[in-house]
Amino acid sequence: MASKRQIWVKDVPVGGGAPVVVQTMTKTETANVPATMKQIREVAEAGSDLVRVAVPREVDVEALKTIVAESPIPVIADIHFNYTLALKAIDAGAHCIRLNPGNIGGPDKVAQVAEKATAAGVPMRIGVNSGSLPKHLHELERKSPVEALVQAAVGFVELMERLEFENFKVSIKSTNVPNTIAANRLLASKVEYPIHLGITEAGTKWSGSLKSAVGLGTLLADGVGDTIRISLSTFHAEEEVKVAWEILKALRLRERGPVLIACPTCGRLQFDMDSVVAEIESRLEQYTEPIEVAVLGCAVNGIGEASHADFGITGAKNEGLIFAHGKPLRKVPQAELVDALFKEIDKSLDRGSIDVDASKAAEGAAWLRKIEDENADELTPERIAQMEAAAAAPSDPLAPSSPVSGRRFTRA
Ligand code: SF4
């Protein structure tokens, strides 16, 4: 149900089958150009494809000219109430205008913005928020907030079509997750334009990320949504971008940087996995390659996971076994585990291959076999899950017995 139409925000395609676009909004005073530019560079570095800045005053429009010229990513001007600011933002070079046709002063004002945007080739995002529905929908909102939201959005879409302006994406935002899901599903069945997704005022980093993951993740998994913004109560806009990427990566919609797999640990753990995982996670932030790194607390069944990932560690008592591309490489004391892992990652990324010391690999493999034999009867969390999956799945005689990642990466 992905949108059929595509628009371009400068050089970024949105909708029509393009990859889901990540965007965020700066939290600085826009007129403070150094602070705003610093934040824009930070969000661009974190992977934001687009950035939106609030333009509530004339001084912000003035600042916009510099911001647009210096920004490494396309800039969307966020306008409310004052249509003249929208006209001036287009003159200032904004790559897209976000406005709510319901609060900009009537259809004739929207028409003036649409006319100028058409002449400049600038797209718009039009949308409604649950907190600012038009008056004539307030009664419907009390009975059915979802229908009221969708009616408002469809009404705005029809207004833009009457104005012969079709270069837009549309959004319905609500603080309510089920309503956001239901309203966007309904909207996607009614319009062909790209859809911007977000849970408005989602909350703190912790609760807001979860709400966004549930709401946006559900829609994206259905194929609804062409661009996403995670709204978090933090002054660090790059945190919103990181959360957006985790959602897209979890759904395998886009790849960016490493994926870290780590077991939840249990009573079998015999090394300080907490600090090892934290160090690996922090060091992986420097990598842009979409490698999968698995850290498993024990050898009993962690071996399977570690060998399926591009790189992995299977822990044991104060030591661990390093894996790369499905191959056990060597045993390493805990204090050296993380360095040894990253040495293998760097070697592989630079050269596309790894060196296997046959005698150390054989020693590691023998060590694994011994531990597996010693624990053959253990019902670990992974074994229980495997048994349940095997019982549920039809047998496939052609299935490979030991899938191994064949991916290779080179450093960008
Ligand atoms: S049994 Fe599973 S959860 Fe427990 S330490 Fe080993 S890998 Fe981790």
Side-chain angles (χ1 to χ4, degrees):
M1 225 196 300
S3 72
K4 291 206 172 84
R5 296 193 185 223
Q6 187 168 77
I7 65 167
W8 288 76
V9 180
K10 197 184 175 195
D11 53 357
V12 176
V14 183
V20 178
V21 169
V22 173
Q23 62 175 283
T24 187
M25 191 166 177
T26 53
K27 289 139 192 284
T28 53
E29 187 190 0
T30 302
N32 183 341
V33 174
T36 302
M37 283 311 306
K38 180 173 179 288
Q39 195 156 71
I40 289 178
R41 289 194 190 95
E42 283 164 356
V43 301
E45 178 78 12
S48 199
D49 301 302
L50 305 173
V51 67
R52 185 154 45 108
V53 299
V55 182
R57 304 164 307 175
E58 297 284 340
V59 283
D60 301 309
V61 179
E62 273 309 304
L64 194 59
K65 292 175 189 163
T66 312
I67 291 166
V68 165
E70 293 184 5
S71 173
I73 50 178
V75 179
I76 303 164
D78 189 89
I79 312 281
H80 284 282
F81 310 122
N82 186 341
Y83 82 105
T84 60
L85 288 173
L87 300 176
K88 289 173 184 172
I90 295 171
D91 284 335
H95 302 116
C96 180
I97 301 292
R98 180 265 169 116
L99 66 86
N100 177 345
N103 72 15
I104 207 79
D108 56 323
K109 307 283 194 305
V110 179
Q112 289 185 53
V113 180
E115 191 181 345
K116 192 158 190 94
T118 301
V122 169
M124 277 201 248
R125 168 188 153 199
I126 58 161
V128 292
N129 276 34
S130 53
S132 58
L133 282 175
K135 277 203 187 92
H136 73 276
L137 291 171
H138 284 182
E139 197 180 327
L140 177 60
E141 188 184 11
R142 280 189 286 279
K143 288 191 215 137
S144 171
V146 168
E147 269 183 51
L149 283 164
V150 175
Q151 265 200 33
V154 170
F156 291 150
V157 167
E158 288 167 354
L159 168 66
M160 301 315 283
E161 287 177 339
R162 281 198 301 279
L163 297 172
E164 297 182 354
F165 186 87
E166 298 187 348
N167 188 14
F168 65 87
K169 52 194 162 133
V170 57
S171 69
I172 286 181
K173 295 184 68 179
S174 165
T175 52
N176 179 309
V177 174
N179 284 358
T180 301
I181 294 170
N184 279 287
R185 279 181 173 154
L186 188 56
L187 180 69
S189 71
K190 290 176 181 286
V191 304
E192 295 185 343
Y193 297 93
I195 291 180
H196 167 116
L197 295 182
I199 305 290
T200 200
E201 294 121 26
T204 59
K205 189 174 163 189
W206 172 245
S207 64
S209 299
L210 285 169
K211 276 196 227 170
S212 300
V214 171
L216 274 52
T218 302
L219 288 162
L220 290 166
D222 280 356
V224 175
D226 302 285
T227 176
I228 60 172
R229 188 256 171 131
I230 310 298
S231 304
L232 300 179
S233 292
T234 164
F235 287 112
H236 299 280
E238 73 277 10
E239 299 291 345
E240 297 185 350
V241 178
K242 288 180 191 168
V243 174
W245 273 103
E246 287 305 315
I247 294 171
L248 296 180
K249 279 158 59 173
L251 289 167
R252 303 269 197 249
L253 287 172
R254 287 183 72 180
E255 285 189 333
R256 178 186 166 86
V259 172
L260 177 61
I261 294 165
C263 84
T265 80
C266 70
R268 294 172 188 83
L269 190 71
Q270 289 185 295
F271 78 113
D272 180 9
M273 178 142 155
D274 243 15
S275 47
V276 166
V277 170
E279 192 181 344
I280 291 173
E281 186 173 42
S282 146
R283 283 173 65 166
L284 282 176
E285 286 188 7
Q286 309 306 317
Y287 291 73
T288 55
E289 294 85 353
I291 50 174
E292 200 168 70
V293 178
V295 186
L296 285 305
C298 79
V300 177
N301 257 323
I303 299 159
E305 289 294 344
S307 61
H308 294 167
D310 297 303
F311 302 94
I313 287 175
T314 292
K317 191 167 185 182
N318 301 324
E319 62 184 350
L321 183 67
I322 305 277
F323 283 81
H325 304 314
K327 298 187 180 83
L329 298 184
R330 61 184 179 283
K331 268 193 308 167
V332 179
Q334 179 180 323
E336 297 162 28
L337 259 178
V338 179
D339 281 343
L341 174 74
F342 277 90
K343 209 168 144 198
E344 293 307 329
I345 291 175
D346 288 345
K347 271 200 293 185
S348 177
L349 293 175
D350 281 337
R351 300 209 305 255
S353 65
I354 50 160
D355 289 335
V356 181
D357 179 322
S359 70
K360 285 189 178 162
E363 189 192 331
W367 176 80
L368 280 181
R369 277 195 299 277
K370 181 168 167 286
I371 292 174
E372 277 193 303
D373 288 347
E374 283 170 6
N375 296 281
D377 300 326
E378 286 247 22
L379 278 179
T380 61
E382 287 79 6
R383 277 197 186 145
I384 292 168
Q386 277 175 6
M387 285 160 66
E388 286 173 350
S395 62
D396 178 359
L398 298 176
S401 57
S402 173
V404 169
S405 167
R407 288 188 289 161
R408 295 290 185 272
F409 300 95
T410 51
R411 204 179 268 289

